Amino acid sequence: MDITIKGLEHSYGKGTPFERKALSNINLSISSGTFQTIIGHTGSGKSTLIQHLNGLLKPTQGSIQIGDFKIQAGVKEKRLKALRKHVGIVFQYPEHQLFEETIEKDILFGPLNFGVSEDEAKRRAAKLIQQVGLDESYLSRSPFDLSGGQMRRVAIAGVLAMKPSILILDEPTAGLDPRGRREIMDLFYRLHEEEGLTTILVTHSMEDAARFSDDILIMEKGGVVLQGNPETIFSNPEALKNLSLDVPETVQFIHRLEERFNKDLPHSVFTLKAAVDAALSVLQKGDDS
Amino acid sequence: MQNIIIGQYVPGQSFIHKLDPRAKLLTAFLFVIIVFLANNWITYVLLGAFTLLAIFVSKLPLRYIYNGLKPILLVIILTFLLHVFLTKEGPLLLDLGFLEVYEGGVEQGIFISLRLLFLILITSLLTLTTTPIDITVGIETLLGPMKKIGLPVHEFALMMSIALRFIPTLLEETEKIMKAQSARGAQFSSGPIKERLKSIVPLLVPLFVSAFKRAEDLAMAMEARGYRGGEGRTSIRLLKWSGKDTTLFIILLLLCVSLLLLRS
Ligand SMILES: Nc1ncnc2c1ncn2[C@@H]1O[C@H](COP(=O)(O)OP(=O)(O)OP(=O)(O)O)[C@@H](O)[C@H]1O
Ligand SMILES: [Mg+2]
């Protein structure tokens, strides 16, 4: 499902003394199957933007088209539940949404709400609990006895069990240990590739943004300030610095290499392996001369 | 969610914002009593004038207050209707066969609804224009003398302020959890009643879990910072009674005397 956002504006607390504009004039289109990343400082409106994509927030102005669903300022969309079946959101700190007696029941909550049969939902739960890095014995345990990181994994499984075709991830790895982060991000990316999901990732990690994205959107003060593929975005460290953002460590490394050896190198180096290769190539050439 | 004004503080610089919290607390308390003095049109008009004046002077946006009242309006309307239908006094106004409406009933209905409305407005005004901390300090000083007879005044004031402080936080939390569960297909504000009722558990359980967790964290943080109850504790905020506060009491006194003179 393609997503088209036109002239989107959102104010919190409309008509109260606390009214505050969180988004202004956002125009954006995300075609089906894209890995879209959203970067921006805290308070720049990322969470506000993504909550519009399944009708949790209503635009104060403008419209959002998702497949054949349309959400418009001032118009009541009646098929929100149908829309939400297609758009899954993993919220910032999703562990707060756990409520059932057992982990299995909690994972089933979403699918059963959307009319999936119990057998099918249970099959999904059994598969997902392993995919998020826990084993099947956890299914019968209480979600409240888990560590923070394990709760996060269960909550993520609960969203994935809905099999959404658009998956929205709001800083899904914040607060996890480095290995947990890598595992979870790899899982999301694998699902993105295998199931052809449209993935929208909100993150503060430039490394994740660089590695996975087809397109990166940079937000500041409720608006879009930069947009492009990772190569273009990270080839201009100055522009990012002006927004007080960094380039990924691998790209920083390449820039240092360039300075040190006075050579031009390709800038689209986003994995550790690629960085090592680039360094090797420089060093080997250095030997030759 | 965003319209709820209970426990909300709106920063400002108005006459009412600058009053001593003790003056405001006492006024609210006395107002609750003198509301019951009113028993005819002229006295209700006086009370109404006082309430409107207070709202006007506080410079709070009228639309905000109106939106905040909406949920309570239902209760007021219900009270009104009950009185209209159940009080059988004075001349008959309307006879629908199964239902008779008397003039006394309509009058009673209007009076009681107004009374409720005034009470709610004045007490909301108190929290809207006073920070929770000021309210606590105010209560604690006002009840100070009670310490002598062994009442846990400090603890009571602390409890009040924590409760006030956490109302907006809990509302925020409620909204967050509602969003997360809605995204998983729960229905809170649309759909059949049965569906909506079923959504209460997925909302309340996480809400309680996080409220208990917050309480625990707060207790821990207070202990870590050396909190050990009210004994020997002084307040960083010094309350100062000023001319403004005396003015307020003169107005209140005038109101009270007029009510006594004009009531029938
Ligand atoms: N429920 C709310 N009520 C009122 N204002 C809000 C609410 N949620 C967010 N805001 C305000 O809207 C602005 C954008 O917030 P948002 O949560 O979208 O930022 P964000 O980019 O997701 O930040 P972070 O990286 O910290 O998650 C902020 O100024 C915030 O104060
Ligand atoms: Mg956010």
Side-chain angles (χ1 to χ4, degrees), chain A residues 13 15-18 51 56-57 81 84 91 96-99 106 109-110 113-114 144 162, chain B residues 2 8-10 61 63-64 177 179-187 195 201-202 205-206 209:
Chain A
T16 73
F18 305 103
Q51 285 173 38
L56 288 171
L57 290 176
K81 192 165 169 183
R84 286 175 188 159
F91 280 89
H96 297 310
Q97 73 192 30
L98 301 177
F99 72 97
D106 209 284
F109 180 67
N113 274 335
F114 290 120
F144 296 107
M162 290 158 32
Chain B
Q2 281 164 354
Q8 188 66 261
Y9 167 68
V10 182
R63 221 183 92 192
Y64 179 58
I177 297 169
K179 277 182 185 167
Q181 308 299 30
S182 304
R184 294 205 282 165
Q187 290 188 303
E195 286 289 313
V201 175
V205 172
V209 169

mmCIF file of all heavy atoms in Angstrom, chain A residues 13 15-18 51 56-57 81 84 91 96-99 106 109-110 113-114 144 162, chain B residues 2 8-10 61 63-64 177 179-187 195 201-202 205-206 209:
data_model
loop_
_atom_site.group_PDB
_atom_site.id
_atom_site.type_symbol
_atom_site.label_atom_id
_atom_site.label_comp_id
_atom_site.label_asym_id
_atom_site.label_seq_id
_atom_site.Cartn_x
_atom_site.Cartn_y
_atom_site.Cartn_z
ATOM 1 N N GLY A 13 -3.644 19.645 21.847
ATOM 2 C CA GLY A 13 -4.392 20.504 22.764
ATOM 3 C C GLY A 13 -5.066 21.658 22.078
ATOM 4 O O GLY A 13 -5.094 22.766 22.606
ATOM 5 N N GLY A 15 -7.355 24.414 21.145
ATOM 6 C CA GLY A 15 -8.391 25.114 21.906
ATOM 7 C C GLY A 15 -8.155 25.156 23.401
ATOM 8 O O GLY A 15 -9.038 25.517 24.148
ATOM 9 N N THR A 16 -6.975 24.747 23.877
ATOM 10 C CA THR A 16 -6.646 24.885 25.296
ATOM 11 C C THR A 16 -5.437 25.834 25.398
ATOM 12 O O THR A 16 -4.796 26.110 24.395
ATOM 13 C CB THR A 16 -6.258 23.533 25.932
ATOM 14 O OG1 THR A 16 -4.952 23.180 25.449
ATOM 15 C CG2 THR A 16 -7.233 22.438 25.577
ATOM 16 N N PRO A 17 -5.136 26.311 26.611
ATOM 17 C CA PRO A 17 -3.963 27.189 26.754
ATOM 18 C C PRO A 17 -2.669 26.446 26.448
ATOM 19 O O PRO A 17 -1.632 27.057 26.321
ATOM 20 C CB PRO A 17 -3.988 27.588 28.233
ATOM 21 C CG PRO A 17 -5.333 27.231 28.734
ATOM 22 C CD PRO A 17 -5.844 26.134 27.884
ATOM 23 N N PHE A 18 -2.750 25.122 26.343
ATOM 24 C CA PHE A 18 -1.539 24.340 26.113
ATOM 25 C C PHE A 18 -1.370 23.993 24.642
ATOM 26 O O PHE A 18 -0.567 23.144 24.299
ATOM 27 C CB PHE A 18 -1.585 23.059 26.945
ATOM 28 C CG PHE A 18 -1.807 23.314 28.397
ATOM 29 C CD1 PHE A 18 -3.059 23.110 28.959
ATOM 30 C CD2 PHE A 18 -0.786 23.804 29.182
ATOM 31 C CE1 PHE A 18 -3.262 23.366 30.297
ATOM 32 C CE2 PHE A 18 -0.988 24.065 30.516
ATOM 33 C CZ PHE A 18 -2.227 23.849 31.081
ATOM 34 N N GLN A 51 1.986 8.419 14.195
ATOM 35 C CA GLN A 51 0.681 8.064 14.755
ATOM 36 C C GLN A 51 -0.470 8.488 13.851
ATOM 37 O O GLN A 51 -1.609 8.087 14.050
ATOM 38 C CB GLN A 51 0.509 8.683 16.137
ATOM 39 C CG GLN A 51 1.322 7.936 17.174
ATOM 40 C CD GLN A 51 1.302 8.619 18.505
ATOM 41 O OE1 GLN A 51 0.283 9.168 18.916
ATOM 42 N NE2 GLN A 51 2.425 8.617 19.187
ATOM 43 N N LEU A 56 -4.448 7.110 14.750
ATOM 44 C CA LEU A 56 -4.461 7.323 16.192
ATOM 45 C C LEU A 56 -4.510 8.810 16.497
ATOM 46 O O LEU A 56 -5.085 9.237 17.484
ATOM 47 C CB LEU A 56 -3.220 6.713 16.835
ATOM 48 C CG LEU A 56 -3.215 5.195 16.886
ATOM 49 C CD1 LEU A 56 -1.880 4.670 17.338
ATOM 50 C CD2 LEU A 56 -4.322 4.701 17.803
ATOM 51 N N LEU A 57 -3.909 9.592 15.628
ATOM 52 C CA LEU A 57 -4.042 11.046 15.716
ATOM 53 C C LEU A 57 -4.720 11.522 14.443
ATOM 54 O O LEU A 57 -4.522 10.954 13.377
ATOM 55 C CB LEU A 57 -2.670 11.706 15.862
ATOM 56 C CG LEU A 57 -1.944 11.511 17.181
ATOM 57 C CD1 LEU A 57 -0.564 12.144 17.119
ATOM 58 C CD2 LEU A 57 -2.741 12.101 18.324
ATOM 59 N N LYS A 81 -10.559 0.563 12.039
ATOM 60 C CA LYS A 81 -10.120 -0.750 12.487
ATOM 61 C C LYS A 81 -9.541 -1.543 11.315
ATOM 62 O O LYS A 81 -8.517 -2.199 11.457
ATOM 63 C CB LYS A 81 -11.276 -1.500 13.132
ATOM 64 C CG LYS A 81 -10.802 -2.731 13.860
ATOM 65 C CD LYS A 81 -11.830 -3.311 14.795
ATOM 66 C CE LYS A 81 -11.373 -4.667 15.273
ATOM 67 N NZ LYS A 81 -12.339 -5.321 16.128
ATOM 68 N N ARG A 84 -6.156 -0.300 10.682
ATOM 69 C CA ARG A 84 -5.162 -0.689 11.690
ATOM 70 C C ARG A 84 -4.706 -2.128 11.541
ATOM 71 O O ARG A 84 -3.646 -2.500 12.035
ATOM 72 C CB ARG A 84 -5.730 -0.445 13.097
ATOM 73 C CG ARG A 84 -5.749 1.022 13.404
ATOM 74 C CD ARG A 84 -6.387 1.369 14.703
ATOM 75 N NE ARG A 84 -6.499 2.828 14.771
ATOM 76 C CZ ARG A 84 -7.343 3.476 15.549
ATOM 77 N NH1 ARG A 84 -8.153 2.800 16.327
ATOM 78 N NH2 ARG A 84 -7.384 4.775 15.546
ATOM 79 N N PHE A 91 5.358 0.800 19.411
ATOM 80 C CA PHE A 91 5.534 2.114 20.019
ATOM 81 C C PHE A 91 6.859 2.244 20.748
ATOM 82 O O PHE A 91 7.499 1.246 21.067
ATOM 83 C CB PHE A 91 4.407 2.394 21.015
ATOM 84 C CG PHE A 91 3.154 2.831 20.353
ATOM 85 C CD1 PHE A 91 2.219 1.916 19.933
ATOM 86 C CD2 PHE A 91 2.922 4.170 20.122
ATOM 87 C CE1 PHE A 91 1.075 2.315 19.298
ATOM 88 C CE2 PHE A 91 1.788 4.581 19.502
ATOM 89 C CZ PHE A 91 0.853 3.655 19.086
ATOM 90 N N HIS A 96 4.897 -1.326 27.821
ATOM 91 C CA HIS A 96 3.769 -0.830 28.624
ATOM 92 C C HIS A 96 2.418 -1.341 28.152
ATOM 93 O O HIS A 96 1.406 -1.094 28.789
ATOM 94 C CB HIS A 96 3.739 0.692 28.608
ATOM 95 C CG HIS A 96 4.940 1.294 29.233
ATOM 96 N ND1 HIS A 96 5.387 0.894 30.475
ATOM 97 C CD2 HIS A 96 5.809 2.225 28.812
ATOM 98 C CE1 HIS A 96 6.481 1.565 30.769
ATOM 99 N NE2 HIS A 96 6.773 2.373 29.784
ATOM 100 N N GLN A 97 2.376 -1.994 26.998
ATOM 101 C CA GLN A 97 1.079 -2.442 26.499
ATOM 102 C C GLN A 97 0.736 -3.865 26.931
ATOM 103 O O GLN A 97 -0.346 -4.354 26.653
ATOM 104 C CB GLN A 97 1.048 -2.332 24.973
ATOM 105 C CG GLN A 97 1.880 -3.386 24.273
ATOM 106 C CD GLN A 97 2.048 -3.064 22.799
ATOM 107 O OE1 GLN A 97 2.051 -1.919 22.387
ATOM 108 N NE2 GLN A 97 2.148 -4.096 21.988
ATOM 109 N N LEU A 98 1.654 -4.541 27.628
ATOM 110 C CA LEU A 98 1.385 -5.918 28.042
ATOM 111 C C LEU A 98 0.325 -5.937 29.127
ATOM 112 O O LEU A 98 0.331 -5.116 30.029
ATOM 113 C CB LEU A 98 2.668 -6.559 28.570
ATOM 114 C CG LEU A 98 3.826 -6.595 27.583
ATOM 115 C CD1 LEU A 98 5.061 -7.190 28.245
ATOM 116 C CD2 LEU A 98 3.461 -7.407 26.354
ATOM 117 N N PHE A 99 -0.601 -6.884 29.063
ATOM 118 C CA PHE A 99 -1.631 -6.913 30.106
ATOM 119 C C PHE A 99 -2.146 -8.304 30.427
ATOM 120 O O PHE A 99 -2.802 -8.493 31.449
ATOM 121 C CB PHE A 99 -2.815 -6.031 29.699
ATOM 122 C CG PHE A 99 -3.655 -6.621 28.591
ATOM 123 C CD1 PHE A 99 -4.813 -7.319 28.885
ATOM 124 C CD2 PHE A 99 -3.274 -6.481 27.284
ATOM 125 C CE1 PHE A 99 -5.582 -7.873 27.867
ATOM 126 C CE2 PHE A 99 -4.019 -7.027 26.272
ATOM 127 C CZ PHE A 99 -5.181 -7.728 26.563
ATOM 128 N N ASP A 106 -1.174 -12.599 25.378
ATOM 129 C CA ASP A 106 -0.880 -11.225 25.006
ATOM 130 C C ASP A 106 -0.537 -11.118 23.521
ATOM 131 O O ASP A 106 -0.973 -10.197 22.829
ATOM 132 C CB ASP A 106 0.273 -10.659 25.845
ATOM 133 C CG ASP A 106 0.123 -9.166 26.004
ATOM 134 O OD1 ASP A 106 0.416 -8.442 25.030
ATOM 135 O OD2 ASP A 106 -0.332 -8.727 27.066
ATOM 136 N N PHE A 109 -3.675 -11.232 21.371
ATOM 137 C CA PHE A 109 -4.641 -10.139 21.483
ATOM 138 C C PHE A 109 -4.885 -9.437 20.146
ATOM 139 O O PHE A 109 -6.029 -9.291 19.707
ATOM 140 C CB PHE A 109 -4.166 -9.128 22.534
ATOM 141 C CG PHE A 109 -5.093 -7.967 22.739
ATOM 142 C CD1 PHE A 109 -6.356 -8.152 23.289
ATOM 143 C CD2 PHE A 109 -4.702 -6.682 22.382
ATOM 144 C CE1 PHE A 109 -7.206 -7.074 23.491
ATOM 145 C CE2 PHE A 109 -5.552 -5.600 22.581
ATOM 146 C CZ PHE A 109 -6.803 -5.801 23.142
ATOM 147 N N GLY A 110 -3.803 -9.030 19.486
ATOM 148 C CA GLY A 110 -3.939 -8.319 18.216
ATOM 149 C C GLY A 110 -4.632 -9.156 17.149
ATOM 150 O O GLY A 110 -5.695 -8.792 16.646
ATOM 151 N N ASN A 113 -8.326 -9.807 17.730
ATOM 152 C CA ASN A 113 -9.121 -8.602 17.495
ATOM 153 C C ASN A 113 -9.406 -8.403 16.019
ATOM 154 O O ASN A 113 -10.436 -7.856 15.642
ATOM 155 C CB ASN A 113 -8.386 -7.370 18.014
ATOM 156 C CG ASN A 113 -8.646 -7.140 19.477
ATOM 157 O OD1 ASN A 113 -9.671 -7.566 19.996
ATOM 158 N ND2 ASN A 113 -7.712 -6.498 20.143
ATOM 159 N N PHE A 114 -8.452 -8.810 15.186
ATOM 160 C CA PHE A 114 -8.628 -8.580 13.759
ATOM 161 C C PHE A 114 -9.180 -9.809 13.052
ATOM 162 O O PHE A 114 -9.050 -9.940 11.837
ATOM 163 C CB PHE A 114 -7.305 -8.142 13.128
ATOM 164 C CG PHE A 114 -6.894 -6.768 13.561
ATOM 165 C CD1 PHE A 114 -5.711 -6.547 14.224
ATOM 166 C CD2 PHE A 114 -7.721 -5.678 13.299
ATOM 167 C CE1 PHE A 114 -5.337 -5.276 14.619
ATOM 168 C CE2 PHE A 114 -7.360 -4.397 13.700
ATOM 169 C CZ PHE A 114 -6.164 -4.195 14.353
ATOM 170 N N PHE A 144 4.735 -10.278 33.157
ATOM 171 C CA PHE A 144 5.220 -9.317 34.149
ATOM 172 C C PHE A 144 6.427 -9.824 34.935
ATOM 173 O O PHE A 144 6.987 -9.109 35.743
ATOM 174 C CB PHE A 144 4.089 -8.921 35.096
ATOM 175 C CG PHE A 144 2.991 -8.210 34.364
ATOM 176 C CD1 PHE A 144 1.785 -8.816 34.123
ATOM 177 C CD2 PHE A 144 3.195 -6.914 33.883
ATOM 178 C CE1 PHE A 144 0.787 -8.167 33.423
ATOM 179 C CE2 PHE A 144 2.204 -6.255 33.184
ATOM 180 C CZ PHE A 144 1.002 -6.881 32.954
ATOM 181 N N MET A 162 0.130 -9.628 14.117
ATOM 182 C CA MET A 162 -0.995 -9.119 13.333
ATOM 183 C C MET A 162 -0.713 -9.212 11.836
ATOM 184 O O MET A 162 -1.589 -8.969 11.021
ATOM 185 C CB MET A 162 -1.269 -7.653 13.700
ATOM 186 C CG MET A 162 -1.838 -7.478 15.101
ATOM 187 S SD MET A 162 -1.576 -5.818 15.787
ATOM 188 C CE MET A 162 -1.640 -4.777 14.364
ATOM 189 N N GLN B 2 -7.833 15.614 26.317
ATOM 190 C CA GLN B 2 -7.136 16.886 26.448
ATOM 191 C C GLN B 2 -8.000 17.958 27.093
ATOM 192 O O GLN B 2 -7.527 19.022 27.442
ATOM 193 C CB GLN B 2 -6.687 17.365 25.071
ATOM 194 C CG GLN B 2 -5.422 16.640 24.628
ATOM 195 C CD GLN B 2 -5.169 16.797 23.153
ATOM 196 O OE1 GLN B 2 -5.980 17.356 22.431
ATOM 197 N NE2 GLN B 2 -4.031 16.318 22.703
ATOM 198 N N GLN B 8 -5.452 20.363 36.801
ATOM 199 C CA GLN B 8 -4.576 21.027 35.839
ATOM 200 C C GLN B 8 -4.234 22.431 36.325
ATOM 201 O O GLN B 8 -5.083 23.124 36.870
ATOM 202 C CB GLN B 8 -5.339 21.092 34.507
ATOM 203 C CG GLN B 8 -4.565 21.557 33.332
ATOM 204 C CD GLN B 8 -3.458 20.605 32.918
ATOM 205 O OE1 GLN B 8 -2.320 20.813 33.257
ATOM 206 N NE2 GLN B 8 -3.812 19.561 32.199
ATOM 207 N N TYR B 9 -2.982 22.841 36.159
ATOM 208 C CA TYR B 9 -2.591 24.204 36.524
ATOM 209 C C TYR B 9 -2.253 24.968 35.247
ATOM 210 O O TYR B 9 -1.504 24.481 34.414
ATOM 211 C CB TYR B 9 -1.390 24.179 37.463
ATOM 212 C CG TYR B 9 -0.735 25.526 37.643
ATOM 213 C CD1 TYR B 9 -1.398 26.561 38.309
ATOM 214 C CD2 TYR B 9 0.543 25.775 37.150
ATOM 215 C CE1 TYR B 9 -0.803 27.799 38.468
ATOM 216 C CE2 TYR B 9 1.141 27.014 37.319
ATOM 217 C CZ TYR B 9 0.468 28.022 37.976
ATOM 218 O OH TYR B 9 1.050 29.247 38.130
ATOM 219 N N VAL B 10 -2.855 26.134 35.073
ATOM 220 C CA VAL B 10 -2.549 26.956 33.901
ATOM 221 C C VAL B 10 -1.758 28.173 34.369
ATOM 222 O O VAL B 10 -2.284 29.016 35.078
ATOM 223 C CB VAL B 10 -3.836 27.438 33.198
ATOM 224 C CG1 VAL B 10 -3.485 28.240 31.960
ATOM 225 C CG2 VAL B 10 -4.711 26.261 32.854
ATOM 226 N N PRO B 61 -8.814 31.250 29.490
ATOM 227 C CA PRO B 61 -9.650 31.258 28.299
ATOM 228 C C PRO B 61 -11.022 30.628 28.583
ATOM 229 O O PRO B 61 -11.090 29.503 29.090
ATOM 230 C CB PRO B 61 -8.871 30.433 27.288
ATOM 231 C CG PRO B 61 -7.665 29.952 27.968
ATOM 232 C CD PRO B 61 -7.559 30.542 29.313
ATOM 233 N N ARG B 63 -13.211 29.381 26.590
ATOM 234 C CA ARG B 63 -13.511 28.167 25.842
ATOM 235 C C ARG B 63 -12.886 26.943 26.519
ATOM 236 O O ARG B 63 -13.459 25.857 26.535
ATOM 237 C CB ARG B 63 -12.976 28.291 24.412
ATOM 238 C CG ARG B 63 -13.963 27.717 23.409
ATOM 239 C CD ARG B 63 -13.407 27.759 22.019
ATOM 240 N NE ARG B 63 -12.726 26.523 21.695
ATOM 241 C CZ ARG B 63 -11.950 26.384 20.630
ATOM 242 N NH1 ARG B 63 -11.750 27.386 19.814
ATOM 243 N NH2 ARG B 63 -11.387 25.236 20.383
ATOM 244 N N TYR B 64 -11.728 27.154 27.108
ATOM 245 C CA TYR B 64 -11.044 26.062 27.808
ATOM 246 C C TYR B 64 -11.876 25.585 28.988
ATOM 247 O O TYR B 64 -12.091 24.390 29.189
ATOM 248 C CB TYR B 64 -9.679 26.562 28.264
ATOM 249 C CG TYR B 64 -8.872 25.538 29.028
ATOM 250 C CD1 TYR B 64 -8.552 24.324 28.457
ATOM 251 C CD2 TYR B 64 -8.432 25.812 30.315
ATOM 252 C CE1 TYR B 64 -7.801 23.399 29.139
ATOM 253 C CE2 TYR B 64 -7.675 24.892 31.011
ATOM 254 C CZ TYR B 64 -7.369 23.691 30.421
ATOM 255 O OH TYR B 64 -6.622 22.775 31.116
ATOM 256 N N ILE B 177 -1.551 4.276 26.543
ATOM 257 C CA ILE B 177 -1.928 2.864 26.521
ATOM 258 C C ILE B 177 -3.113 2.650 25.592
ATOM 259 O O ILE B 177 -3.170 1.688 24.832
ATOM 260 C CB ILE B 177 -2.232 2.353 27.944
ATOM 261 C CG1 ILE B 177 -0.966 2.458 28.790
ATOM 262 C CG2 ILE B 177 -2.730 0.925 27.914
ATOM 263 C CD1 ILE B 177 -1.177 2.235 30.253
ATOM 264 N N LYS B 179 -3.751 4.255 22.957
ATOM 265 C CA LYS B 179 -3.232 4.270 21.586
ATOM 266 C C LYS B 179 -2.598 2.937 21.232
ATOM 267 O O LYS B 179 -2.857 2.380 20.164
ATOM 268 C CB LYS B 179 -2.197 5.377 21.435
ATOM 269 C CG LYS B 179 -2.793 6.734 21.175
ATOM 270 C CD LYS B 179 -1.665 7.723 20.999
ATOM 271 C CE LYS B 179 -2.197 9.130 20.853
ATOM 272 N NZ LYS B 179 -1.101 10.102 20.994
ATOM 273 N N ALA B 180 -1.766 2.431 22.163
ATOM 274 C CA ALA B 180 -1.066 1.183 21.872
ATOM 275 C C ALA B 180 -2.063 0.047 21.667
ATOM 276 O O ALA B 180 -1.911 -0.758 20.749
ATOM 277 C CB ALA B 180 -0.101 0.845 22.999
ATOM 278 N N GLN B 181 -3.118 -0.003 22.509
ATOM 279 C CA GLN B 181 -4.090 -1.095 22.365
ATOM 280 C C GLN B 181 -4.987 -0.880 21.139
ATOM 281 O O GLN B 181 -5.378 -1.840 20.489
ATOM 282 C CB GLN B 181 -4.934 -1.282 23.625
ATOM 283 C CG GLN B 181 -4.140 -1.422 24.926
ATOM 284 C CD GLN B 181 -3.193 -2.607 24.979
ATOM 285 O OE1 GLN B 181 -2.669 -3.055 23.968
ATOM 286 N NE2 GLN B 181 -2.963 -3.120 26.181
ATOM 287 N N SER B 182 -5.311 0.358 20.834
ATOM 288 C CA SER B 182 -6.098 0.620 19.619
ATOM 289 C C SER B 182 -5.344 0.126 18.399
ATOM 290 O O SER B 182 -5.924 -0.421 17.464
ATOM 291 C CB SER B 182 -6.363 2.109 19.414
ATOM 292 O OG SER B 182 -6.988 2.658 20.520
ATOM 293 N N ALA B 183 -4.024 0.341 18.405
ATOM 294 C CA ALA B 183 -3.225 -0.100 17.267
ATOM 295 C C ALA B 183 -3.272 -1.617 17.151
ATOM 296 O O ALA B 183 -3.052 -2.171 16.085
ATOM 297 C CB ALA B 183 -1.791 0.382 17.405
ATOM 298 N N ARG B 184 -3.570 -2.307 18.264
ATOM 299 C CA ARG B 184 -3.709 -3.765 18.206
ATOM 300 C C ARG B 184 -5.175 -4.174 18.065
ATOM 301 O O ARG B 184 -5.545 -5.299 18.348
ATOM 302 C CB ARG B 184 -3.122 -4.409 19.467
ATOM 303 C CG ARG B 184 -1.630 -4.227 19.562
ATOM 304 C CD ARG B 184 -0.995 -5.317 20.391
ATOM 305 N NE ARG B 184 -1.152 -5.125 21.825
ATOM 306 C CZ ARG B 184 -0.928 -6.099 22.717
ATOM 307 N NH1 ARG B 184 -0.607 -7.315 22.309
ATOM 308 N NH2 ARG B 184 -1.072 -5.866 23.990
ATOM 309 N N GLY B 185 -6.016 -3.232 17.701
ATOM 310 C CA GLY B 185 -7.390 -3.592 17.354
ATOM 311 C C GLY B 185 -8.410 -3.439 18.451
ATOM 312 O O GLY B 185 -9.569 -3.782 18.268
ATOM 313 N N ALA B 186 -8.018 -2.916 19.642
ATOM 314 C CA ALA B 186 -9.019 -2.668 20.680
ATOM 315 C C ALA B 186 -9.859 -1.467 20.272
ATOM 316 O O ALA B 186 -9.388 -0.602 19.547
ATOM 317 C CB ALA B 186 -8.329 -2.395 22.010
ATOM 318 N N GLN B 187 -11.123 -1.439 20.723
ATOM 319 C CA GLN B 187 -11.980 -0.315 20.361
ATOM 320 C C GLN B 187 -12.467 0.397 21.608
ATOM 321 O O GLN B 187 -13.128 -0.187 22.442
ATOM 322 C CB GLN B 187 -13.158 -0.805 19.529
ATOM 323 C CG GLN B 187 -12.703 -1.238 18.154
ATOM 324 C CD GLN B 187 -13.852 -1.542 17.247
ATOM 325 O OE1 GLN B 187 -14.680 -2.380 17.555
ATOM 326 N NE2 GLN B 187 -13.918 -0.844 16.127
ATOM 327 N N GLU B 195 -17.785 -4.520 22.598
ATOM 328 C CA GLU B 195 -16.376 -4.390 22.244
ATOM 329 C C GLU B 195 -15.676 -3.401 23.165
ATOM 330 O O GLU B 195 -14.571 -3.607 23.636
ATOM 331 C CB GLU B 195 -16.246 -3.885 20.794
ATOM 332 C CG GLU B 195 -16.559 -4.935 19.762
ATOM 333 C CD GLU B 195 -15.473 -5.998 19.716
ATOM 334 O OE1 GLU B 195 -14.283 -5.628 19.688
ATOM 335 O OE2 GLU B 195 -15.818 -7.198 19.746
ATOM 336 N N VAL B 201 -10.126 -4.039 30.256
ATOM 337 C CA VAL B 201 -9.044 -4.792 30.888
ATOM 338 C C VAL B 201 -7.677 -4.445 30.278
ATOM 339 O O VAL B 201 -6.741 -4.112 31.011
ATOM 340 C CB VAL B 201 -9.320 -6.313 30.829
ATOM 341 C CG1 VAL B 201 -8.138 -7.084 31.383
ATOM 342 C CG2 VAL B 201 -10.583 -6.635 31.612
ATOM 343 N N PRO B 202 -7.549 -4.486 28.939
ATOM 344 C CA PRO B 202 -6.250 -4.131 28.359
ATOM 345 C C PRO B 202 -5.819 -2.699 28.684
ATOM 346 O O PRO B 202 -4.663 -2.362 28.551
ATOM 347 C CB PRO B 202 -6.484 -4.262 26.849
ATOM 348 C CG PRO B 202 -7.703 -5.060 26.693
ATOM 349 C CD PRO B 202 -8.514 -4.912 27.917
ATOM 350 N N VAL B 205 -5.186 -2.841 33.263
ATOM 351 C CA VAL B 205 -4.058 -3.606 33.796
ATOM 352 C C VAL B 205 -2.735 -2.849 33.610
ATOM 353 O O VAL B 205 -2.027 -2.601 34.585
ATOM 354 C CB VAL B 205 -4.004 -5.029 33.192
ATOM 355 C CG1 VAL B 205 -2.731 -5.735 33.614
ATOM 356 C CG2 VAL B 205 -5.218 -5.821 33.628
ATOM 357 N N PRO B 206 -2.400 -2.441 32.380
ATOM 358 C CA PRO B 206 -1.133 -1.704 32.242
ATOM 359 C C PRO B 206 -1.133 -0.403 33.043
ATOM 360 O O PRO B 206 -0.100 -0.003 33.565
ATOM 361 C CB PRO B 206 -1.061 -1.392 30.747
ATOM 362 C CG PRO B 206 -1.983 -2.330 30.088
ATOM 363 C CD PRO B 206 -3.061 -2.636 31.072
ATOM 364 N N VAL B 209 -0.361 -1.335 36.597
ATOM 365 C CA VAL B 209 1.045 -1.751 36.689
ATOM 366 C C VAL B 209 1.933 -0.523 36.714
ATOM 367 O O VAL B 209 2.827 -0.384 37.553
ATOM 368 C CB VAL B 209 1.416 -2.668 35.506
ATOM 369 C CG1 VAL B 209 2.919 -2.876 35.448
ATOM 370 C CG2 VAL B 209 0.699 -4.003 35.624
#
